[in-house]
Amino acid sequence: MRQAISNTFSHHFCFLFQDEIDSAVKMLLSLKMSYKAAMGEDYKADCPPGNPAPGINHGPEATEAEEDFVDPWTVQTSSAKGIDYDKLIVRFGSSKIDKELINRIERATGQRPHHFLRRGIFFSHRDMNQVLDAYENKKPFYLYTGRGPSSEAMHVGHLIPFIFTKWLQDVFNVPLVIQMTDDEKYLWKDLTLDQAYGYAVENAKDIIACGFDINKTFIFSDLDYMGMSPGFYKNVVKIQKHVTFNQVKGIFGFTDSDSIGKISFPAIQAAPSFSNSFPQIFGDRTDIQCLIPCAIDQDPYFRMTRDVAPKIGYPKPALLHSTFFPALQGAQTKMSASDPNSSIFLTDTAKQIKTKVNKHAFSGGRDTIEEHRQFGGNCDVDVSFMYLTFFLEDDDKLEQIRKDYSSGAMLTGELKKTLIEVLQPLIAEHQARRKEVTDEIVKEFMTPRKLSFDFQ
């Protein structure tokens, strides 16, 4: 009898406390990861810590003096100037896009480099020289970028990779695949499958409105395409076979409490890096290199992909990384689709744009006009100036604004007015182009088909 009561009590005890145990285990794992990041060694209960290991590459979960934290889901910095990108290059082990590489792109394409390159908005790369070697030797490559459709409305920051990818497609004249990771958003967010797919289609309209060539561009939803493409799924499985649970925990910070869907998802984002994932475009060719323009928070996925590629006999994808687009409230705050005031959305009216910039854009100006005239404003932290570096194409005009604002000749109100005058027509024109994107056009872009290109 006593044994039976004891068993019942144990059963209920376990049942009651399982959630708390799970949560404590998750916390302990997280603490152990933080310890390893700081000390450069695993935590051992009976072994007191030595000195922190110097020069260890801590991966995305580590923070630089508790300042910057970058992974595919979180970007945090305590600096009003934003992330320290030089440190990030060192931590991620990528290469800086220098003047020499920009000149080489200009020579190869015969076109003036895009202002995102000239201004260091795309600032880091992996193997871009290899892509240019191939291009100069008439060898093919293709472009791959993507979007995680977490809401119906996109903001101007979401356009950055697409504006640049469109330029790359135009100057290199190459095919492009765009992955809509609606499966990822279903796994990470509180969405139904239908909602996630619906957002993918709506976001595709904004992407198409950037002006991509329908004859050279395939946009696909993972939920849709993976079920109809054995070539794609076979590559997903090959990648999954060569990445351990330990590796994804290390790269992405997954824990034992994460769903198996999340743990296996990185293989799905990796698969479009290999040309035979798209047999309708490239046939069974596995030798066509891929170039991926993306924000640098996506790099962990492709470090994993580049590690796997030689093991399964494919070329490593090359990458071009962009900086992050700052929230209106300042570079150290996070833009949120749920906070309409954190950015300029592609659905905003001219009036909303004006109000948001005037009311919410973080200013690098002084407290009083007198002080501002005397000491000038700080362009490094001023969000209106940061936005102009993205959207004002005229280099000379931008430099004049920088000088005038820094010297105090231009006031914050005047700087904001300049930004409003740049953003209003940009958004209005985007909205007009999007209106012309019919469901038929979306369907055509999203139908697996041969694309036109003249590869040997």
Side-chain angles (χ1 to χ4, degrees), residues 417-434:
K417 185 172 182 283
T418 308
L419 174 64
I420 291 162
E421 286 166 0
V422 168
L423 285 178
Q424 283 175 332
L426 184 105
I427 301 293
E429 285 160 24
H430 178 88
Q431 289 167 355
R433 288 194 304 269
R434 191 189 193 278

Side-chain angles (χ1 to χ4, degrees), residues 105-349:
I105 292 170
E106 182 167 16
R107 285 196 306 275
T109 61
Q111 304 282 335
R112 186 177 189 213
H114 194 278
H115 68 273
F116 286 176
L117 280 172
R118 302 197 304 269
R119 294 177 193 165
I121 288 167
F122 272 80
F123 70 101
S124 153
H125 75 100
R126 294 183 188 277
D127 289 348
M128 185 61 192
N129 280 305
Q130 204 176 307
V131 170
L132 292 170
D133 289 344
Y135 181 75
E136 286 162 0
N137 288 309
K138 303 282 182 282
K139 282 191 184 149
F141 74 92
Y142 70 101
L143 293 162
Y144 156 40
T145 192
R147 157 93 185 121
S150 53
S151 66
E152 198 166 317
M154 286 167 64
H155 56 64
V156 280
H158 292 137
L159 289 183
I160 304 307
F162 296 109
I163 291 170
F164 188 61
T165 302
K166 152 106 173 73
W167 180 79
L168 290 170
Q169 183 183 52
D170 290 347
V171 298
F172 285 106
N173 189 24
V174 286
L176 159 69
V177 295
I178 299 174
Q179 179 182 47
M180 308 299 280
T181 57
D182 41 8
D183 51 346
E184 175 205 12
K185 293 305 167 191
Y186 170 75
L187 290 166
W188 262 267
K189 306 240 173 221
D190 187 19
L191 297 173
T192 65
L193 281 171
D194 287 345
Q195 277 174 317
Y197 179 71
Y199 290 159
V201 173
E202 284 307 307
N203 287 186
K205 290 178 183 172
D206 278 304
I207 291 167
I208 292 164
C210 292
F212 291 105
D213 183 340
I214 197 162
N215 298 309
K216 297 194 182 83
T217 308
F218 172 48
I219 302 175
F220 63 99
S221 133
D222 285 342
L223 291 173
D224 196 32
Y225 182 61
M226 194 143 119
M228 63 167 95
S229 175
F232 189 90
Y233 184 60
K234 282 175 185 170
N235 276 341
V236 170
V237 173
K238 281 184 187 177
I239 297 158
Q240 286 172 339
K241 182 171 182 170
H242 288 86
V243 181
T244 67
F245 180 34
N246 242 358
Q247 282 172 308
V248 290
K249 278 202 283 193
I251 298 167
F252 300 100
F254 294 142
T255 69
D256 294 357
S257 308
D258 280 310
S259 73
I260 57 173
K262 288 184 181 182
I263 290 152
S264 61
F265 172 74
I268 296 170
Q269 187 159 323
S273 310
F274 306 128
S275 53
N276 62 343
S277 292
F278 305 99
Q280 69 285 1
I281 305 174
F282 303 113
D284 55 4
R285 286 188 67 171
T286 59
D287 61 331
I288 303 173
Q289 193 174 14
C290 171
L291 172 62
I292 306 169
C294 61
I296 194 159
D297 60 333
Q298 297 301 301
D299 187 68
Y301 284 110
F302 301 114
R303 288 207 296 276
M304 180 197 86
T305 310
R306 286 166 56 84
D307 182 56
V308 170
K311 298 174 187 169
I312 56 179
Y314 298 152
K316 293 181 178 186
L319 285 105
L320 292 168
H321 300 124
S322 73
T323 59
F324 302 115
F325 192 77
L328 276 171
Q329 286 77 2
Q332 74 270 59
T333 61
K334 189 169 176 358
M335 273 185 297
S336 158
S338 56
D339 176 6
N341 294 321
S342 67
S343 192
I344 306 292
F345 283 79
L346 301 179
T347 47
D348 285 351
T349 62

Side-chain angles (χ1 to χ4, degrees), residues 204-210 432-442 445:
K205 290 178 183 172
D206 278 304
I207 291 167
I208 292 164
C210 292
R433 288 194 304 269
R434 191 189 193 278
K435 263 203 184 85
E436 290 170 12
V437 179
T438 61
D439 290 341
E440 282 65 44
I441 290 174
V442 175
F445 267 99

